């Protein structure tokens, strides 16, 4: 690759990142229907034609934002096996999920809005890739239960509990702030994470790993 092509590629990557950032903010604030390509272009500080050069339509850009959100949620749990320690894996998973709510709250809100609207833009994904992921993780949880590593329970509900409790700090941040009387700081997220790990792992009949235990 020549120096000029490398420079063009660098500019393209930066422009796409600016567009994605602007799109994420616009979709979170206005929803898919309430957002226009022009609004995204204005937010990115680029001409509308530039946005449409990288993304053919608003729909393509919205899907890119959703897929980016889902990729951000990839975690150690994705590679877990039946031989792993469920306490370590679940504690790590919960920690990662809460941290994503802290560092990428906008992405979580966009995903929540999509689900509340019936997931019209994620149907193909949910019917294929996400369903495969879910089946593989359910199999791991069942293997842990069958081998006596953790208490037997409905694995679907367990994952739903983890998702709802961790993503709550992003999707309902306004409620959390108003009821607490102050925005959560990093230390508050860490305290919430420790308490959540204790509640979930104890409910699973697991011992909380030392590094995840609360000092309270």
């Amino acid at each position: 690759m020549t120096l000029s092509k490398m420079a063009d590629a660098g500019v393209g990557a930066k422009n796409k990142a600016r567009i994605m950032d602007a799109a994420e903010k616009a979709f979170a604030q206005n929803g898919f229907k309430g957002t226009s390509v022009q609004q995204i272009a204005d937010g990115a500080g680029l001409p509308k034609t530039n946005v449409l050069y990288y993304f053919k339509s608003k729909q393509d850009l919205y899907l890119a934002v959703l897929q980016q959100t889902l990729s951000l949620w990839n975690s150690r749990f994705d590679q877990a096996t039946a031989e792993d320690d469920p306490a370590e894996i679940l504690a790590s998973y919960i920690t990662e999920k809460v941290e994503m709510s802290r560092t990428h709250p906008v992405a979580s809100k966009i995903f929540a809005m999509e689900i509340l609207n019936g997931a019209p833009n994620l149907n193909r994904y949910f019917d294929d890739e996400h369903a495969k992921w879910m089946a593989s993780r359910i199999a791991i949880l069942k293997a842990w239960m069958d081998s006596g590593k953790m208490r037997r329970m409905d694995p679907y509900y367990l994952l739903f509990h983890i998702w709802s409790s961790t993503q709550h700090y992003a999707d309902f941040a306004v409620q959390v702030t108003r009821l607490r009387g102050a925005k959560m700081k990093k230390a508050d997220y860490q305290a919430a994470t420790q308490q959540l790990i204790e509640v979930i792992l104890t409910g699973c009949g697991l011992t909380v790993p030392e590094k995840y235990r609360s000092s309270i």
Side-chain angles (χ1 to χ4, degrees):
M1 183 181 291
T2 64
L3 290 177
S4 61
K5 288 184 178 180
M6 290 177 64
D8 289 342
V11 171
K14 289 180 180 179
N15 284 344
K16 288 184 72 173
R18 288 168 62 183
I19 293 169
M20 289 286 286
D21 183 61
E24 186 178 82
K25 293 176 181 176
F27 288 135
Q29 183 174 355
N30 308 309
F32 176 74
K33 292 183 179 180
T35 298
S36 68
V37 175
Q38 187 61 60
Q39 287 175 321
I40 295 171
D42 292 342
L46 295 168
K48 180 179 176 180
T49 52
N50 278 40
V51 175
L52 294 175
Y53 173 78
Y54 296 107
F55 302 93
K56 295 180 179 179
S57 66
K58 182 176 75 168
Q59 177 80 10
D60 285 346
L61 184 49
Y62 183 66
L63 288 173
V65 170
L66 289 174
Q67 291 295 338
Q68 177 176 267
T69 299
L70 292 169
S71 67
L72 286 171
W73 284 341
N74 289 338
S75 71
R76 183 183 174 191
F77 186 47
D78 294 5
Q79 288 78 44
T81 68
E83 288 70 40
D84 288 325
D85 178 3
E88 286 285 349
I89 296 297
L90 292 178
S92 175
Y93 186 45
I94 293 167
T95 300
E96 291 171 344
K97 291 286 289 177
V98 175
E99 181 64 6
M100 284 304 305
S101 285
R102 184 182 75 84
T103 59
H104 293 79
V106 174
S108 182
K109 290 176 183 177
I110 294 173
F111 186 79
M113 288 169 53
E114 174 68 16
I115 298 301
L116 288 172
N117 287 321
N121 298 288
L122 284 175
N123 285 340
R124 182 183 301 175
Y125 182 85
F126 274 121
D127 289 343
D128 189 11
E129 297 302 321
H130 200 54
K132 290 178 182 177
W133 179 90
M134 188 68 168
S136 68
R137 297 310 88 193
I138 292 299
I140 295 300
L141 290 170
K142 286 183 176 179
W144 287 338
M145 295 174 196
D146 291 341
S147 62
K149 289 185 175 181
M150 62 181 290
R151 182 175 297 162
R152 190 170 295 280
M153 60 184 65
D154 189 306
Y156 286 95
Y157 295 156
L158 174 57
L159 288 182
F160 296 155
H161 291 328
I162 292 174
W163 297 346
S164 61
S165 56
T166 55
Q167 290 164 220
H168 179 87
Y169 292 100
D171 302 340
F172 291 88
V174 172
Q175 181 186 55
V176 172
T177 297
R178 290 185 178 179
L179 292 178
R180 294 184 72 253
K183 285 187 176 182
M184 290 183 67
K185 298 180 180 179
K186 187 174 182 179
D188 297 318
Y189 281 97
Q190 292 172 338
T193 299
Q194 290 177 325
Q195 183 166 312
L196 185 55
I197 288 172
E198 289 176 1
V199 170
I200 292 179
L201 266 61
T202 301
C204 292
L206 299 169
T207 299
V208 178
E210 183 67 33
K211 64 181 178 180
Y212 294 105
R213 294 179 188 175
S214 170
S215 58
I216 298 177

